[in-house]
Amino acid sequence: MESTIPDPHTEVPNPPRTTVQATRVEAHGIDHIPDGERRGRPRELFRVWAAANVNYLSLVTGGALVLMGLTLPQAVAVIVVGNLCWLLTGLLAVSGPASGTPSEVITRALYGVRGNRVNNAVTGWTISVCYFALNLAAAAVAAFSLVERVGIPAGTGVKAVVVVAIAALTLTISVYGHAVILRLYLPITLVLGAVFAVVAVRVIGHADFGYRPAEPLRGGTLWATLAAGVTLMAAGPLSYTTSADFSRYLPRTSSPRAVAGWTALGGFLPSVVVCSLGAFAATAVDMTDPQTALESLLPGWFAPVFLCALVLGTISLNALTAYSAGLALQAVGLRIRRSLSVLVDGAVSVSLTLYALLVADFLDTVSNILQLTVVLLGPATAVYATDILLRRNRYDGPALTDETPGGPFWYTGGVNRAGAAALAAGVTAGALCVDTLYTGPIAGAVGMDLSLPAGLLTAAGVYAVVMRGPRTAAAAPSGG
């Protein structure tokens, strides 16, 4: 039995194939989407990912690269290389139309029914809630400035109200779900694109393209910083191991290349542009306080527009995060409606956000968490991508929803040992090579953070070898 409860009051029997029910709360959770309810084209995925990646956090991380001591060309190179991980996000998205189920269910093929519950509890729900909190904190910082501009002091009580208000707007989109996301994200992409075009003109006009830090990095220190920067940039695309959540409504016949391409392009282009703007700005102003610094480059009348755009972009990003977190909570095994699971995620995230804003140093918190999550997200992405390639993207959606012992994805005691071993090996390799909140022994020995390549390659290699072994070879090609 599936661990989800549909929203019966919103169920639409036999809806027209091309109709987008954007005025109703989405009835589906982690259940299989029948062919008759599939709709849309792969190119619609571009708007989803583009709207989500024009955001304040990208400006912050782009500026952080220059603060780390990189020159402008080095920072831009790191931004491009790190964001190439959007290709992996695109690859994961192709499993959505093939199975008609979200990533949180597809990964039962990787880890088994029970093993996948643990995977969703950690990689799916916990990581998503942390990202929701970080992004919500970023939006709140911009909103605080807007509140103060109208003459209201941003004390603790006001900040709490602002955080809750932004979360409420975000969760409304997430609760209404997939159709509303598709409907809203085209105009949001256009609005954000126009605002950031103005910002780009102003930032580029002030940027010092010949900028060099007072003490240029050299040798091992330079390579260590470059590696850390790539890991920081890669954290964004790698956080979307759930990209099939937003492609699963596409018809089964959708071109995998188009699904992967539009997903990757929608994330890559805006991420590179916005992160680069943050790096450009850091050559002219002090990006340790990004919001104030960027406002100083803009005309007075435009600053409130810019702040509103920062809030809107982060709401768009967090609506996707909360949507996937809600599905992850269902996939853990809780029998709860998707709409209610999203609200649970929001409540937890608001609590974490208030801590990040009122207790911790925001910039340090962002950098440390993003780098640390790669230790887990890199191997998880690698196992998922390798499974897609081994099975040639052939997934049986109805079979994936079977959670009973003896089902096609029960494996041994509910766990696919190949997936569990590969993920454990990848995380271990990443932990040995990470250098952020703590320094792994290998990172300490070589003097740089190699957690990204170590985790990706180890997890992919172990999974490919074990799944092609004599005990599991039969399961790998067919997908059940």
Side-chain angles (χ1 to χ4, degrees), residues 356-393:
L357 287 173
L358 304 178
V359 179
D361 180 272
F362 177 65
L363 196 58
D364 286 344
T365 300
V366 168
S367 179
N368 289 332
I369 289 181
L370 293 185
Q371 285 181 255
L372 191 59
T373 56
V374 169
V375 172
L376 177 60
L377 296 175
T381 300
V383 174
Y384 194 169
T386 304
D387 191 77
I388 290 173
L389 296 176
L390 289 176
R391 297 176 193 273
R392 299 181 179 87
N393 197 36

Side-chain angles (χ1 to χ4, degrees), residues 219-244:
T221 303
L222 173 59
W223 285 106
T225 305
L226 291 173
V230 169
T231 301
L232 183 63
M233 289 297 107
L238 291 179
S239 69
Y240 286 106
T241 57
T242 56
S243 54

Side-chain angles (χ1 to χ4, degrees), residues 38-71:
R38 308 285 193 94
R39 55 183 180 266
R41 298 179 179 180
R43 67 187 182 194
E44 294 173 347
L45 295 170
F46 179 86
R47 73 180 72 164
V48 173
W49 297 104
N53 284 283
V54 180
N55 58 69
Y56 182 52
L57 200 58
S58 294
L59 286 169
V60 171
T61 54
L65 295 176
V66 174
L67 293 176
M68 291 163 65
L70 298 178
T71 65

Side-chain angles (χ1 to χ4, degrees), residues 183-354:
R183 183 68 62 86
L184 288 180
Y185 278 37
L186 178 58
I188 288 176
T189 299
L190 296 176
V191 169
L192 293 176
V195 172
F196 272 79
V198 175
V199 175
V201 170
R202 299 291 297 189
V203 168
I204 291 173
H206 288 82
D208 177 6
F209 290 97
Y211 168 83
R212 293 184 65 81
E215 298 181 7
L217 302 176
R218 304 180 189 281
T221 303
L222 173 59
W223 285 106
T225 305
L226 291 173
V230 169
T231 301
L232 183 63
M233 289 297 107
L238 291 179
S239 69
Y240 286 106
T241 57
T242 56
S243 54
D245 295 1
F246 309 100
S247 62
R248 75 190 195 278
Y249 277 93
L250 290 174
R252 181 189 305 274
T253 55
S254 299
S255 164
R257 288 187 179 183
V259 172
W262 285 114
T263 297
L265 192 64
F268 178 83
L269 282 182
S271 293
V272 168
V273 170
V274 178
C275 287
S276 296
L277 286 179
F280 294 160
T283 66
V285 293
D286 182 7
M287 286 291 282
T288 55
D289 184 1
Q291 176 196 304
T292 302
L294 290 167
E295 284 186 64
S296 69
L297 300 178
L298 302 173
W301 65 268
F302 189 76
V305 177
F306 171 63
L307 293 172
C308 287
L310 293 181
V311 175
L312 178 61
T314 307
I315 287 174
S316 302
L317 171 60
N318 259 357
L320 301 188
T321 304
Y323 181 86
S324 292
L327 294 174
L329 199 58
Q330 288 186 316
V332 167
L334 296 183
R335 289 191 53 75
I336 183 174
R337 290 175 183 165
R338 185 197 61 81
S339 52
L340 294 179
S341 67
V342 167
L343 297 180
V344 172
D345 302 331
V348 176
S349 298
V350 166
S351 300
L352 292 174
T353 300
L354 293 175

